[in-house]
Amino acid sequence: MFLSPSVLAACQIEVVELPLTMVGTRPLIVAKLKDKEVKFLFDSGAFYSIISQNAATEFDLPTHRAQEGLSVYGVNGRAEISIARVSDFTLKGKKFPHLEFIVGGSEIGLGAIGLLGQNFLGTADVEYDLAKGVARLVYPNDDCEKANLAYWARSEPVIEIPLEHGLELQSNHTIGTVFVNGVRMKAIFDTGASTSVLFMAAARRAGLSMDAQGVVSAGESTGIGRAVNQSWIVPIKSLAIGAEVIENTRIRVSNSDTLDEDMLLGADFFLSHRIYVAKRQQKIYLTYNGGPVFNLTTAGKGRSVDAQSGAPDSAEDAAAAPKDAGAFARRGAAYASRRDFARALTDLTRACELEPGNGNYFLQRARVRVSLSQSTEALADFTEALRLDPDDIEARIARAQLNASLKNGADAQADLVAADKLATVQGKARLEIASIYLRLDMPELAIANDDQWIASHGQDAGLAGALNSRCWARAYWGIELQKALDDCNAAIAINTESATYLDTRGLVYFRLGQSDKARADYQASLKLNPKQAWSLYGLGLLMLRQGDTEAGNASIAAARGLRPTIDDDAKRHGILP
C-alpha cells in the first residue's frame, strides 16, 4: 500500500486491517483459537495479553511459569503468574504463532475470554480508527522514517507528540505528555479503559479538589485485580495535547494510585480521534474526528455531563464510506458508543438489510433501540437474533433484561432458564443472570448464580460487587441475615468507601434490629453519596422509631424523590417503621 502524496514517495506500508466492534466503549475483536471464534478486548493499555483461567482450561493450553520479574500486583501484593503460549492464534486470516498470554486476571465480560495487549500490539505500528470500528497493524518500510504517517489527513490538522517508553517490555505502554490546567502529565493511551481518567495525585497537582463546586460523584471503577476505586467528574480549565487544547471541560478523577503515570486517555478519547502510534519514529499522530472528547456519563445516570460540544464530525470521502454489512455494523456500534443513537440505528438497519442472516446485527440494533426506548421494536430484534442463533447467550440475557424492565416476568424467566443452560458454571454471565433474578423477586435463584461465580473468583475485580449483590438479595428479602452480614463485611473489607456496600449492610443491621449500627452505616453511606435512596429511607424509618418525626419524614420524602416506588418496595418486603 502506498501512502498519500503528502509523504515521501518511496514510503510504503503493509497493512493488516482488524475489524473491531464497540460494545459500549469497549472495543472487541474476534479471533480464532484452535479454529473456534472467540472475542478479546483490544487493549492498548495492557502491557501484556491476558486470557482467563477458564478459557485456558477449555482450550487445553499448555502453561509455564512466567520469566523472573514478570508478575501482577493487586491489593494483596505481588502474585506469581503463569503464561500460556498459543501456536494457532488467527486474526482475519493472518496467523500469529507463539503468542503469549498471562493466565488469570479479572473477567472482562461482554463474551470476551481475555484481552490483547502490548506484547501483541507492540510488534508493529498501530492505527486506531475506533470511530469506524477498525484498527490496523502497520508495517512501514525503511523509507518511512521521516514521513508523516497520518496518511489519511487532508485539511484537518495533524497533532504530533513524542512516544515515550514505547519499546521497553516492562514499560510497554503507549505514553505521551499532556497538560491539565497547564500542569505537565504523563498519559497512557488506553483503549481498554472505557473512559479517560485522571488519577488523584495528578489531580491535586493540577489544583483540583473533590470538594469544589460542580464536582459530581461518578461511582466506582475496577481493574484487573480486586481493587475498587471511587471516581468523580470534575471541571477543569483546560487539557492540552500537542496543539489541541480542550477548554472548560470536565474530566473523570479516580482515587486509584496503582500506576506511575498520571492519567489514562481511554476509549472515549480514541473515538473522538484517529490515532497512529509510530514505534520506529517514536511518535504519536492524532487528528480530531469531532464531537465530545470525553464520555462523562455518571454511574447509573445514563446521561452525558460533558460540557464540551466540539465540532461536527468531519465529512467522509466516498472511498472511506462503509461498503458492506460488517463496516456499517462496526460504524453503527461506534456511533452507539458515543450515544449518537440515531446514526447508530441508521447504520445498523443498513447492516441488517445487507446481511439479514446475521443475528449479531439484530442484537446490536436491539440494544440501540433499548437506548431509544423503542421497546417493542427492540423485542422484535432480540427475537430475530435468537431465531437466527438460539444459543446466543448475550441475546438471551439482553432480552430477559428488557422483559424484566417491562414486567414481563414469565418471558424473562424463560430466557433465564435457557441462558442458565448456555452459561458456564464460572462465567460472568452468572452475575448478569443473578441480577435479573433479583429484579424478578427470585432471591434464591439469584443467590444460586452468585454462589457459582463467587466460589471461583477470589481475586476478581467484580468480587466485591458480587458479594454485595448476594448480601442485598438476602437483606432485601429478610433471609439468612448472618450470611448476608458476612458477605457485606467481606465486600466492605475490599472497598471501605463504597456508599452502596454500606447502604446494603445498613439494611442487614436494620433487619437484625441493631439500630445503632444501621444508623452508622446509613450515615456513612450518605456522607459518600447524599442521593443513596435506601439509606435515606432506612435512616428515616429509624428516626421515626425514635420519635424524631420531622427529621424522619424529611429523610423519607427525600428518598421518595429519588425512588418514587420506594414505599411500595419497602412494604412488599416488610421494611417498616
Side-chain angles (χ1 to χ4, degrees):
M1 175 177 177
F2 284 91
L3 295 178
S4 67
S6 61
V7 298
L8 300 179
C11 176
Q12 296 182 3
I13 57 176
E14 177 189 351
V15 176
V16 178
E17 189 162 289
L18 305 176
L20 304 175
T21 297
M22 299 300 301
V23 180
T25 49
R26 311 299 294 276
L28 299 184
I29 187 167
V30 175
K32 279 193 174 180
L33 188 57
K34 292 191 174 180
D35 293 324
K36 181 179 178 180
E37 284 195 349
V38 290
K39 295 177 184 176
F40 287 88
L41 178 67
F42 199 75
D43 190 352
S44 65
F47 87 100
Y48 221 79
S49 300
I50 297 177
I51 196 167
S52 71
Q53 180 64 65
N54 291 343
T57 301
E58 177 187 348
F59 287 96
D60 194 24
L61 300 178
T63 62
H64 62 273
R65 193 167 184 173
Q67 66 190 60
E68 187 175 352
L70 189 59
S71 56
V72 172
Y73 291 82
V75 293
N76 292 327
R78 175 176 167 175
E80 299 300 326
I81 56 176
S82 60
I83 297 290
R85 179 170 292 176
V86 179
S87 59
D88 49 2
F89 182 86
T90 305
L91 282 174
K92 206 178 178 186
K94 182 177 176 62
K95 288 191 175 183
F96 296 87
H98 312 304
L99 183 61
E100 290 190 338
F101 292 85
I102 291 173
V103 178
S106 298
E107 285 194 353
I108 295 165
L110 306 175
I113 67 168
L115 58 85
L116 292 182
Q118 285 293 341
N119 66 313
F120 170 74
L121 298 176
T123 60
D125 287 1
V126 186
E127 181 191 342
Y128 300 91
D129 195 5
L130 267 58
K132 295 186 180 69
V134 68
R136 300 174 182 92
L137 300 181
V138 185
Y139 303 89
N141 68 4
D142 292 341
D143 294 314
C144 295
E145 189 170 338
K146 296 182 179 180
N148 173 2
L149 291 173
Y151 61 90
W152 62 88
R154 290 172 173 80
S155 59
E156 62 266 47
V158 176
I159 302 160
E160 295 183 26
I161 63 171
L163 170 64
E164 303 177 33
H165 305 299
L167 298 176
E168 302 168 20
L169 175 61
Q170 299 300 336
S171 303
N172 203 23
H173 293 118
T174 301
I175 299 173
T177 296
V178 303
F179 293 84
V180 178
N181 288 353
V183 179
R184 185 185 182 93
M185 305 284 180
K186 296 293 185 187
I188 298 176
F189 287 71
D190 185 1
T191 58
S194 295
T195 59
S196 300
V197 62
L198 182 68
F199 299 128
M200 185 63 73
R204 288 174 178 152
R205 282 170 40 220
L208 303 179
S209 169
M210 302 310 101
D211 297 324
Q213 186 176 1
V215 173
V216 179
S217 173
E220 300 165 356
S221 61
T222 59
I224 292 296
R226 276 175 43 178
V228 181
N229 301 301
Q230 301 300 312
S231 64
W232 299 262
I233 293 172
V234 183
I236 61 173
K237 294 178 181 178
S238 65
L239 186 146
I241 177 166
E244 181 179 54
V245 181
I246 307 161
E247 295 182 320
N248 299 319
T249 186
R250 304 182 187 210
I251 197 159
R252 191 177 301 266
V253 173
S254 169
N255 64 355
S256 172
D257 60 358
T258 57
L259 293 175
D260 294 332
E261 286 71 31
D262 300 307
M263 70 177 300
L264 304 177
L265 291 174
D268 51 356
F269 184 86
F270 279 78
L271 283 162
S272 60
H273 294 80
R274 188 164 174 175
I275 299 171
Y276 186 106
V277 179
K279 291 283 186 178
R280 185 182 296 183
Q281 290 186 357
Q282 290 290 280
K283 287 183 179 180
I284 303 172
Y285 295 90
L286 309 94
T287 59
Y288 173 53
N289 291 335
V293 173
F294 300 120
N295 171 19
L296 294 175
T297 302
T298 55
K301 298 295 183 182
R303 60 182 178 85
S304 174
V305 296
D306 190 353
Q308 181 189 338
S309 60
D313 286 350
S314 57
E316 287 186 298
D317 294 334
K323 297 294 192 300
D324 56 32
F328 274 107
R330 292 192 301 275
R331 191 177 69 172
Y335 281 139
S337 68
R338 300 183 74 177
R339 306 188 66 79
D340 187 347
F341 297 123
R343 283 199 280 187
L345 183 60
T346 298
D347 272 357
L348 287 166
T349 296
R350 185 62 179 141
C352 292
E353 291 169 348
L354 289 171
E355 199 173 326
N358 190 317
N360 186 53
Y361 299 158
F362 287 92
L363 171 59
Q364 290 185 62
R365 189 171 70 174
R367 287 171 169 156
V368 169
R369 284 178 158 161
V370 169
S371 298
L372 290 169
S373 299
Q374 298 176 0
S375 299
T376 301
E377 295 87 347
L379 282 174
D381 274 349
F382 282 134
T383 300
E384 180 63 10
L386 286 166
R387 185 189 71 80
L388 293 166
D389 183 3
D391 292 338
D392 187 338
I393 188 171
E394 293 181 59
R396 286 281 174 200
I397 291 173
R399 190 170 69 173
Q401 287 173 329
L402 179 56
N403 272 317
S405 70
L406 296 172
K407 309 299 183 184
N408 300 331
D411 291 338
Q413 189 176 1
D415 272 334
L416 292 179
V417 171
D420 180 80
K421 295 176 182 178
L422 296 169
T424 62
V425 172
Q426 301 170 341
K428 202 163 187 176
R430 288 287 163 201
L431 299 183
E432 298 175 89
I433 293 170
S435 70
I436 302 170
Y437 274 128
L438 278 180
R439 296 180 68 178
L440 295 175
D441 285 353
M442 297 179 175
E444 293 85 359
L445 290 172
I447 291 166
N449 278 276
D450 281 333
D451 285 346
Q452 292 183 65
W453 189 88
I454 289 170
S456 59
H457 290 82
Q459 296 299 317
D460 196 280
L463 177 63
L467 289 167
N468 178 72
S469 174
R470 193 167 66 179
C471 179
W472 178 259
R474 289 176 167 131
Y476 196 37
W477 277 269
I479 58 176
E480 300 179 313
L481 293 177
Q482 187 54 53
K483 288 183 178 180
L485 184 59
D486 291 342
D487 276 348
C488 270
N489 285 338
I492 291 169
I494 296 171
N495 181 9
T496 60
E497 296 188 356
S498 169
T500 301
Y501 304 167
L502 290 164
D503 171 82
T504 304
R505 192 173 68 177
L507 181 57
V508 177
Y509 283 134
F510 184 98
R511 292 281 204 186
L512 289 169
Q514 299 182 30
S515 298
D516 290 344
K517 290 183 176 180
R519 177 188 287 265
D521 273 352
Y522 285 144
Q523 289 173 335
S525 173
L526 291 168
K527 184 176 180 180
L528 292 165
N529 179 10
K531 295 184 178 181
Q532 197 77 28
W534 277 108
S535 287
L536 286 165
Y537 198 82
L539 188 60
L541 294 180
L542 291 173
M543 290 172 176
L544 292 180
R545 284 183 180 182
Q546 294 174 351
D548 192 349
T549 305
E550 184 177 353
N553 286 333
S555 189
I556 290 172
R560 289 170 181 152
L562 295 166
R563 186 185 176 102
T565 64
I566 199 164
D567 286 310
D568 291 339
D569 295 339
K571 185 177 181 180
R572 185 160 47 92
H573 291 88
I575 303 170
L576 304 168

